[in-house]
Amino acid sequence: MAEVLKGKPVADAMKEELKQKVAALKERGITPTLGIVRVGARPDDLFYEGGAKKTCDVVDMAYQVFEYPEDISQEDFEQAIIEVGNNKAINGILMFAPLPKHLDEKKIRTMIPVAKDVDCLTLGGAAKIFADDPTGFPPCTPAACMDMLHFYNIPIKGKRCVVLGRSLVVGKPVAMLLLREHGTVTICHSRTLDLPGVCREAEILIAAVGRAKMVKANFVKPGQIVIDVGINEDPDRPGKYCGDVDFAEVEPIVEKITPVPAGVGSVTTAVLCKQTIMACELQNA
Ligand code: NAP
């Protein structure tokens, strides 16, 4: 039986620390504020937004929602983003993506000020992560993976880390963060040969493929730490969701594993607030 690494205790501890940081900023007359930019009203976005607002309330920081109609023109949305970016009251920006297809998302991303890019939507933000610049903010999910490892005292230095997935949102940044902490990192993707064999080599395995229960018993071995980033519809339980790891097969084999739900996903809004507070501190240093 593996130790199941839940996200809630990680998020709770982080929120306690954040409350103190917010109180210290408020004593200086500063209220850290998250700007949430949303086009339309996709249920997933609204769900995440609800969680982000709740976490802001818990840590006593502020948020403002900037909501735009689904059919907003490129020109109007560019203007809106410039205004949010220039808004001195906003310290960090969360913009839901993908944007509707008629909008040039690549261009709009470049208009977010890097100093307020708390979810790594800009290339400038990504460059900071790849350059180990401590003023950069990784996307919240890879940062949450690292917070899980730290909270549960899992050593990274010198460990063999395998990251399954190479997206800019999860795979690549989490690989860079592991490397920063001296892990020996392998990144796998859809063209990797002998995927189960490579994953079995890992001491820390991070699964971020977006394929329900793809990581089976033959991908793992005893002693491993498995961090499951996946959020997929569960093919066996309609209406529920599951990870990229087949928990029922893998959990009896490995040493520690994060569940889905209640794992990494429970930490991401706390990370979003943490990074907004950090941005606020840097902007007011
Ligand atoms: P993505 O952009 O679709 O990337 C998936 C990656 O997995 C790609 O690099 C792809 O390889 C690789 N891959 C796909 N099928 C594969 C296969 N059969 N064998 C080997 N590699 C394969 O997904 P993502 O945005 O990184 O998200 C990954 C998962 O994390 C999803 O389940 C998503 O819902 C979840 N997620 C969770 C959170 C959270 O808060 N917990 C946040 C973001 C994402 P190629 O590059 O070769 O195509």
Side-chain angles (χ1 to χ4, degrees):
M1 287 280 277
E3 180 188 349
V4 177
L5 309 177
K6 295 220 170 176
K8 190 174 180 299
V10 186
D12 286 347
M14 205 183 292
K15 286 180 210 165
E16 282 311 308
E17 260 181 53
L18 296 181
K19 278 184 200 170
Q20 319 232 335
K21 283 184 188 270
V22 174
L25 282 162
K26 285 192 168 177
E27 269 182 27
R28 294 168 55 201
I30 301 161
T31 301
T33 304
L34 173 69
I36 301 174
V37 174
R38 173 164 49 74
V39 179
R42 270 195 314 244
D44 284 0
D45 295 350
L46 290 173
F47 181 76
Y48 192 75
E49 182 180 307
K53 287 171 166 175
K54 206 165 134 195
T55 310
C56 286
D57 286 339
V58 170
V59 305
D60 207 21
M61 60 178 270
Y63 58 79
Q64 270 188 57
V65 179
F66 300 90
E67 183 179 358
Y68 306 99
E70 185 91 38
D71 61 353
I72 189 168
S73 69
Q74 176 74 21
E75 200 185 352
D76 288 353
F77 193 50
E78 282 183 15
Q79 192 50 42
I81 285 290
I82 290 169
E83 278 167 26
V84 177
N86 288 338
N87 184 336
K88 290 215 163 26
I90 302 295
N91 305 110
I93 295 174
L94 168 72
M95 182 183 79
F96 287 108
L99 294 169
K101 286 210 166 48
H102 69 279
L103 295 173
D104 181 351
E105 181 171 327
K106 219 171 167 180
K107 182 170 181 209
I108 284 159
R109 282 179 181 237
T110 65
M111 302 172 86
I112 296 171
V114 173
K116 297 186 179 184
D117 184 14
V118 290
D119 199 23
C120 206
L121 288 166
T122 65
L123 291 181
K128 285 187 182 231
I129 300 314
F130 280 66
D132 290 337
D133 180 334
T135 67
F137 305 107
C140 294
T141 301
C145 293
M146 300 306 289
D147 284 319
M148 295 284 277
L149 293 171
H150 297 153
F151 181 87
Y152 288 106
N153 294 317
I154 294 162
I156 299 166
K157 187 168 152 186
K159 299 292 174 190
R160 223 164 231 286
C161 308
V162 173
V163 178
L164 190 39
R166 58 174 163 180
S167 74
L168 253 186
V169 174
V170 191
K172 281 179 188 159
V174 84
M176 290 303 118
L177 297 176
L178 291 162
L179 195 59
R180 187 186 288 184
E181 296 193 26
H182 314 295
T184 301
V185 183
T186 302
I187 305 177
C188 301
H189 45 79
S190 62
R191 319 298 205 279
T192 298
L193 300 179
D194 185 22
L195 199 55
V198 179
C199 291
R200 273 198 311 273
E201 296 275 299
E203 290 170 287
I204 299 173
L205 175 63
I206 313 261
V209 269
R211 304 219 172 240
K213 304 183 186 180
M214 194 188 101
V215 175
K216 300 281 182 195
N218 63 329
F219 282 61
V220 295
K221 66 175 182 194
Q224 285 181 316
I225 315 292
V226 178
I227 307 288
D228 189 353
V229 176
I231 302 179
N232 312 289
E233 261 185 52
D234 190 332
D236 308 316
R237 293 182 313 152
K240 305 273 181 199
Y241 66 100
C242 70
D244 292 340
V245 177
D246 189 327
F247 191 89
E249 278 199 17
V250 166
E251 183 270 338
I253 302 170
V254 300
E255 189 175 317
K256 298 173 202 271
I257 184 167
T258 65
V260 178
V264 175
S266 320
V267 185
T268 49
T269 60
V271 170
L272 180 67
C273 291
K274 177 171 80 170
Q275 300 199 147
T276 303
I277 292 164
M278 259 178 75
C280 179
E281 288 170 340
L282 288 167
Q283 287 156 28
N284 290 283

